Amino acid sequence: MSYRLSEEQEMFRQTVRRFAEEKVAPRVSEMDKEDCFPRDLYQEIARMGLPALFYPLEYGGSDADLLTCCLASEELCRVSTSVGAFLGSIHSLFSSCFKLSASKEQREKYLPDVTSGKKICAFGLTEPDAGSDIASMRSRAVRDGNEYILNGVKNFNSGIDFADMTLVYAKTDPSAGIKGISALIVEKGTPGFSYSVTGRMLGFRGIHHCESVFEDCRVSKENLIGKEGEGFQTVLKVLDEGRTLAGASGVGTAQGALDYAIRYAKGRIQFGKPIAQFQAIGHMLADMATMTESARHLIYRAATIVREHTRESMKLATMAKYFATDVAMKVTSRAVDILGGYGYSEEYPVERMMRDAKGLQIYEGTNQIQRNAVARVLLS
């Protein structure tokens, strides 16, 4: 199957690259130091039409294919992993769930505002005792007339403090195991819904990871996405897209570190010549470029088939996530090595890229659990 970029996709890549360098890059240091995501920057991203990529045309979206969405995340992550990963993971998870399960009325109610950037969405799945083990979640949603009473705790919920609505997964029938998990939209301000920032993270600065608490939180039955008990199967399909986009974030982060390391090596003079002319540095750069390009091709390959929702597409999405984010960690670490003491300084961006790359290895399912998933497919 071909995954060569079309002329239109290549033009799109260049457009997003210019936007990232002109609008996002000047704000990255502020985001990292202040641990904040400027709302006006998100509005700039929305005006560029980047959230719209993930949504259907009839609701103001552009209904882009997954490869195009990956290009957007990749280019944003070249300058800011926080911005690119947030765009990719949140909108892919939210939009995929809606496309798979939401009613026409629910799409009409929520998607136009999310697509335009007027409102921001978030995704609540992980719990303190149910990270990779989704089936062990303890959150409960009990039907009471025309409402569900939601109780439970979610953690590591990216950007919930920033969002206007959250897609929350909970068990509506605990006795049914994974077949008892359902999805509900909970809007900010709903009585019984509260959240707090869990603390400053090593990376991904600007995107707060929150703990969300639901205490007798009443949610209208109209906010149930799909049918009761369909949540787990939807999540499995949704996460394939999220993993592919996480991998694209890894490629972008690696490329940003490689680009910076090349510029630095050309300009840094030691022993009378640029360090780029030393074989040791040249070999490091060659390996970094080769790993990044290998990861890019795996991501693009996965992006072309993930929406088929087959065992093969699941396997490739999972491989793409762990391979590309491992590459990001290796490449950013070597970029720090090339800069030496400067690489370890906050005055240079590669230490931030390395911190962010570590986060990419963990979120959207740790790379260890991804390897488990691939092994199951291979051995089944």
Side-chain angles (χ1 to χ4, degrees), residues 15-27 41 79:
T15 299
V16 178
R17 180 170 295 188
R18 284 194 300 272
F19 172 80
E21 291 173 350
E22 293 172 6
K23 300 294 185 179
V24 180
R27 311 293 294 274
L41 177 58
V79 300

Side-chain angles (χ1 to χ4, degrees), residues 238-259:
V238 164
L239 289 180
D240 286 348
E241 292 195 22
R243 287 167 180 163
T244 306
L245 281 151
S249 297
V251 171
T253 302
Q255 188 65 56
L258 173 62
D259 292 346

Side-chain angles (χ1 to χ4, degrees), residues 120-195:
I120 300 172
C121 55
F123 193 83
L125 179 63
T126 301
E127 297 186 2
D129 295 317
S132 300
D133 185 10
I134 298 172
S136 294
M137 71 169 58
R138 297 182 180 180
S139 295
R140 301 286 185 266
V142 179
R143 182 73 177 267
D144 182 30
N146 291 326
E147 296 177 318
Y148 284 92
I149 302 175
L150 178 61
N151 283 282
V153 177
K154 301 289 182 180
N155 68 345
F156 297 122
N157 299 154
S158 304
I160 279 186
D161 58 326
F162 197 59
D164 300 286
M165 64 192 77
T166 303
L167 186 60
V168 179
Y169 286 81
K171 286 186 175 178
T172 46
D173 182 2
S175 66
I178 60 174
K179 294 183 178 179
I181 297 174
S182 305
L184 295 155
I185 285 288
V186 182
E187 298 180 34
K188 181 174 283 187
T190 301
F193 170 35
S194 61
Y195 59 84

